[in-house]
Amino acid sequence: MHLLWTLIIGGIIGWLGGLIAGRDVPGGIIGNIVAGFVGAWLGTLILGDWGPNIADFALIPAIIGAIIVVLILSAIMRGGSRRT
């Protein structure tokens, strides 16, 4: 049950990161989950483990990290689609 809860919260964090950044996360639901997990790791690495914790995610650093991941992913995906 903990794994399911973690996947749901990771997806919500990735979705919020994309919503705040104003960009779509490539990959749909799976992309949201990956952006949430990677964003949580990156945000905790940079900002530390502070703020409210839900499903072992420090919520505020995770959302900030997800925003960074979404911006990086959208820049990479946009750069790759410009080839002519």
Side-chain angles (χ1 to χ4, degrees), residues 74-84:
S74 65
I76 290 171
M77 297 303 283
R78 183 181 37 177
S81 63
R82 288 188 183 174
R83 294 181 187 175
T84 55

Side-chain angles (χ1 to χ4, degrees), residues 30-75:
I30 302 297
N32 282 334
I33 293 171
V34 170
F37 276 104
V38 174
W41 173 76
L42 182 66
T44 304
L45 185 70
I46 294 171
L47 300 172
D49 189 16
W50 56 275
N53 286 319
I54 298 177
D56 296 332
F57 290 114
L59 212 52
I60 296 170
I63 292 173
I64 293 170
I67 292 169
I68 294 169
V69 169
V70 167
L71 290 174
I72 291 170
L73 281 177
S74 65

